[in-house]
Amino acid sequence: MQLVLEPIDRVASLVKTGLSPFTSLTTMDGSKIWFDALGAVGPLPITAGQRKSGGKSSIKIMGYRQYVTETPAEVRQVISDAGGSPV
């Protein structure tokens, strides 16, 4: 584990200089999830229950499903803009 004292937006911009596919989406609790778009699978559909909880779409990264507030079209655009291949 590494402890970072800088704000996440500053760290993210530094990481992005060395990892251009690094991007983010918004989780259902409002926080950002940062990931490498080349390893992301999405957008993936969600259930009605997940929609009621605030989710609009999801992605899979490192084998884990992440539910996000962006629409499938927005997820597709974020992944594509970062150099990934949306499904």
Side-chain angles (χ1 to χ4, degrees):
M1 184 170 105
Q2 296 181 8
L3 177 62
V4 179
L5 300 176
E6 293 84 0
I8 187 65
D9 290 333
R10 172 76 177 128
V11 173
S13 67
L14 293 172
V15 170
K16 192 161 181 70
T17 62
L19 181 66
S20 59
F22 193 62
T23 191
S24 69
L25 291 167
T26 311
T27 64
M28 294 192 318
D29 71 3
S31 60
K32 294 284 185 185
I33 180 165
W34 295 89
F35 62 97
D36 179 351
L38 297 179
V41 177
L44 300 173
I46 61 172
T47 66
Q50 291 154 342
R51 247 183 244 95
K52 286 180 184 176
S53 296
K56 293 183 183 169
S57 187
S58 69
I59 61 170
K60 189 178 277 192
I61 49 176
M62 297 175 51
Y64 292 94
R65 194 91 172 251
Q66 300 291 325
Y67 299 95
V68 297
T69 60
E70 288 82 4
T71 65
E74 291 168 326
V75 170
R76 194 172 291 110
Q77 191 65 54
V78 166
I79 292 172
S80 180
D81 287 351
S85 299
V87 294

